[in-house]
Amino acid sequence: MPELPEIEVLKGEIKARVVGRQIVTVDVSDPNVINMSPEMFASTLAGKKITGAGRRGKMLLIYLEEGLCLIIHFMLFGRIRLSPEVGEGAQVVLNLDDRRCLFFSQLALGAGVHLHQGEEIDSLPQVTKLGVDALSRELDFEQFTRMISRSKAKIKALLMDQSFISGIGNTYADEILFEAKINPERSGKSLGSEEILAVYRPLKNMLVEAITAGGAGSDDFAHLDGSKGGFIPKVHGLEDKPCLVCGLGIRKTKVGGRGTYYCPQCQNYFRRSG
DNA sequence: CAATCGTCCTGCGGGC
DNA sequence: TGCCCGCAGGACGATT
């Protein structure tokens, strides 16, 4: 499922390949995923030029002429694709002036393509709720330490809490904690300064590396052209596979109701690293 | 078929 | 005692 790096990759692709194009017509075959009548949606978008792209947490922004903005949340399986032909299962199709179309599919569980005025975006409830962006310079080590050490919640739950830090989902939370050698069940409060640094470093670095790699290589993410990213998880989704560091089997549990993968040896709960 | 995913919401209980 | 916070559990919908 698309997290911060995947959205960032899509944002770059929109900027490189779609900005400057004009939307000619719009087809909506699933009105559930938009936030107004299909007629209003289509007539508002028709004739508008695509002017930019952005991101808020795990949401993709597509800016248009006249201050309009599409805000897209992909949730679990949502897809966006740029192609000369509309793919199967397209729910919303933007037909562009170069005969290509930008279309969305597999939007479910409240995922959607919502049209707003650009200046409204940062007042939307789903945006105001977001905590500091994981890649923001504002989230420096001091700030991160303050936030983590104040909380009794489990570190994995904290990393995934979008109102706390935005952009990190289940996959990268597991990968960051594996890299940090910190057990996902440890509370924020229980972490010493070195341990917090051990989480902070991969938090910043891994997200950047994943963007550079073109996002996740998993089946649930694809680029605008359908190709996959190159980021391969070391623990997430790899139950019973040998840990790349110690060779012990990777274990799966639940933390905060989410499937959680970790190495019981490298991420021993009682391990103390300092 | 049932588990799963991310988000939102509700209700419970522990701890300050 | 009262309040806040963490967290479990359910709803949602489609995919594996």
Side-chain angles (χ1 to χ4, degrees), chain A residues 160-229:
Chain A
M160 282 195 305
D161 182 350
Q162 300 303 296
S163 67
F164 188 71
I165 294 169
S166 59
I168 300 170
N170 208 1
T171 303
Y172 289 102
D174 281 354
E175 294 304 311
I176 288 165
L177 291 175
F178 174 71
E179 203 65 34
K181 300 187 189 295
I182 298 290
N183 190 284
E185 309 243 18
R186 292 278 299 277
S187 73
K189 261 180 177 315
S190 77
L191 299 181
S193 184
E194 288 193 24
E195 292 175 316
I196 296 177
L197 184 60
V199 176
Y200 181 79
R201 258 195 302 242
L203 186 156
K204 293 285 187 178
N205 294 340
M206 192 182 296
L207 296 176
V208 172
E209 283 164 23
I211 294 167
T212 308
S218 53
D219 288 337
D220 44 34
F221 171 70
H223 295 177
L224 288 187
D225 66 2
S227 66
K228 288 185 187 182

Side-chain angles (χ1 to χ4, degrees), chain A residues 42 58 75 90 92 114 131 145 151 156 183 200 203 212 251:
Chain A
K58 304 177 190 172
M75 293 295 275
V92 175
H114 291 186
T145 301
S151 175
K156 161 114 190 226
N183 190 284
Y200 181 79
L203 186 156
T212 308
R251 201 166 290 170

Side-chain angles (χ1 to χ4, degrees), chain A residues 3-19:
Chain A
E3 304 180 26
L4 184 153
E6 288 73 41
I7 304 303
E8 200 62 31
V9 167
L10 291 174
K11 182 183 101 179
E13 293 189 325
I14 298 279
K15 285 186 176 181
R17 304 186 53 201
V18 186
V19 163

Side-chain angles (χ1 to χ4, degrees), chain A residues 30 32-35 41 59-60 70-75 78 91-92 104 106-115 126:
Chain A
D30 184 356
N32 294 321
V33 305
I34 60 174
N35 61 331
F41 187 82
M59 288 169 275
L60 175 67
L70 289 168
I71 180 165
I72 300 125
H73 201 309
F74 294 94
M75 293 295 275
Q91 291 152 301
V92 175
F104 301 87
Q106 289 175 248
L107 301 168
L109 270 182
V113 181
H114 291 186
L115 179 58
Q126 66 266 39

Side-chain angles (χ1 to χ4, degrees), chain A residues 13-246:
Chain A
E13 293 189 325
I14 298 279
K15 285 186 176 181
R17 304 186 53 201
V18 186
V19 163
R21 298 266 59 90
Q22 186 183 40
I23 298 170
V24 181
T25 58
V26 175
D27 301 311
V28 177
S29 50
D30 184 356
N32 294 321
V33 305
I34 60 174
N35 61 331
M36 59 188 73
S37 75
E39 295 76 22
M40 178 69 81
F41 187 82
S43 65
T44 308
L45 288 174
K48 302 295 190 299
K49 219 175 238 181
I50 293 169
T51 58
R55 181 180 61 80
R56 294 289 183 279
K58 304 177 190 172
M59 288 169 275
L60 175 67
L61 304 180
I62 298 178
Y63 294 103
L64 305 147
E65 281 180 326
E66 296 182 23
L68 294 167
C69 185
L70 289 168
I71 180 165
I72 300 125
H73 201 309
F74 294 94
M75 293 295 275
L76 310 181
F77 325 104
R79 301 269 188 166
I80 179 173
R81 189 79 186 270
L82 179 69
S83 159
E85 302 106 33
V86 178
E88 207 173 313
Q91 291 152 301
V92 175
V93 184
L94 311 179
N95 299 294
L96 306 180
D97 58 354
D98 58 0
R99 298 173 160 247
R100 295 179 303 176
C101 43
L102 190 63
F103 63 90
F104 301 87
S105 58
Q106 289 175 248
L107 301 168
L109 270 182
V113 181
H114 291 186
L115 179 58
H116 291 277
Q117 287 296 325
E119 65 264 23
E120 293 171 357
I121 292 293
D122 288 315
S123 336
L124 295 174
Q126 66 266 39
V127 176
T128 56
K129 272 179 198 148
L130 294 178
V132 58
D133 192 272
L135 284 188
S136 164
R137 287 174 64 241
E138 200 187 314
L139 185 67
D140 58 17
F141 182 58
E142 283 67 35
Q143 162 87 339
F144 187 67
T145 301
R146 252 178 280 129
M147 293 170 73
I148 292 292
S149 55
R150 200 167 48 193
S151 175
K152 283 186 292 186
K154 292 169 180 170
I155 183 66
K156 161 114 190 226
L158 288 174
L159 293 180
M160 282 195 305
D161 182 350
Q162 300 303 296
S163 67
F164 188 71
I165 294 169
S166 59
I168 300 170
N170 208 1
T171 303
Y172 289 102
D174 281 354
E175 294 304 311
I176 288 165
L177 291 175
F178 174 71
E179 203 65 34
K181 300 187 189 295
I182 298 290
N183 190 284
E185 309 243 18
R186 292 278 299 277
S187 73
K189 261 180 177 315
S190 77
L191 299 181
S193 184
E194 288 193 24
E195 292 175 316
I196 296 177
L197 184 60
V199 176
Y200 181 79
R201 258 195 302 242
L203 186 156
K204 293 285 187 178
N205 294 340
M206 192 182 296
L207 296 176
V208 172
E209 283 164 23
I211 294 167
T212 308
S218 53
D219 288 337
D220 44 34
F221 171 70
H223 295 177
L224 288 187
D225 66 2
S227 66
K228 288 185 187 182
F231 181 87
I232 308 297
K234 293 178 178 166
V235 284
H236 189 82
L238 300 172
E239 187 176 13
D240 296 332
K241 297 269 162 47
C243 167
L244 294 177
V245 174
C246 75

